[in-house]
Amino acid sequence: MSNASGPAAIAGLRGLVGFGIPDSQVDDPGLRPRLRVKGLRELAPGAFVFALMLTATPSVPGWYLIVFAAVPAGDALVVLRSGGPKATAYGVHAATSAVMLASGICLLV
C-alpha cells in the first residue's frame, strides 16, 4: 500500500491516495518537505514506544499507547472529511487506533 507516513514519506513520495486522501497533488514541490517532516514525526513516537517497552514498567507504554491512539483516530477523521474512502478511514486508521487502545489497556491491566 502506498502512503506518505513514516518510512514511505522519507524514502520517496508515492502519493497520499493510499493514506485515503483522493486527488493528492504529490508533485507539488512545497508539499514534499512537509510530508517528509510528517514521516519523521511518525517514526519518532514509534521508536519511543519501543524504548519505553525496554526500560519502563508496563503501565508507562500502556498510557503512552492510549494517549497516542488519538493520532490514527484523527487521521481517520481527516480521510473522512477529505472525501476519502470509508474503507481506508475505518479499515486502516480507525483499526490502528483501536489496536493501540486495546494494547494500551492490556498493558495497564
Side-chain angles (χ1 to χ4, degrees), residues 20-23 76-86:
I21 300 176
D23 302 322
L77 292 174
V78 168
V79 170
L80 291 171
R81 292 188 56 106
S82 299
K86 290 181 180 179

Side-chain angles (χ1 to χ4, degrees), residues 8-94:
I10 296 167
L13 299 173
R14 297 177 297 196
L16 294 173
V17 176
F19 186 81
I21 300 176
D23 302 322
S24 303
Q25 301 296 324
V26 295
D27 292 335
D28 177 6
L31 179 63
R32 290 176 181 256
R34 285 183 239 147
L35 291 177
R36 288 192 177 97
V37 167
K38 181 187 181 325
L40 289 170
R41 289 178 185 239
E42 286 193 12
L43 285 173
F48 187 64
V49 77
F50 285 110
L52 288 177
M53 290 159 106
L54 292 172
T55 61
T57 62
S59 65
V60 175
W63 283 112
Y64 177 87
L65 286 170
I66 289 171
V67 170
F68 273 84
V71 173
D75 291 344
L77 292 174
V78 168
V79 170
L80 291 171
R81 292 188 56 106
S82 299
K86 290 181 180 179
T88 302
Y90 297 120
V92 175
H93 303 295

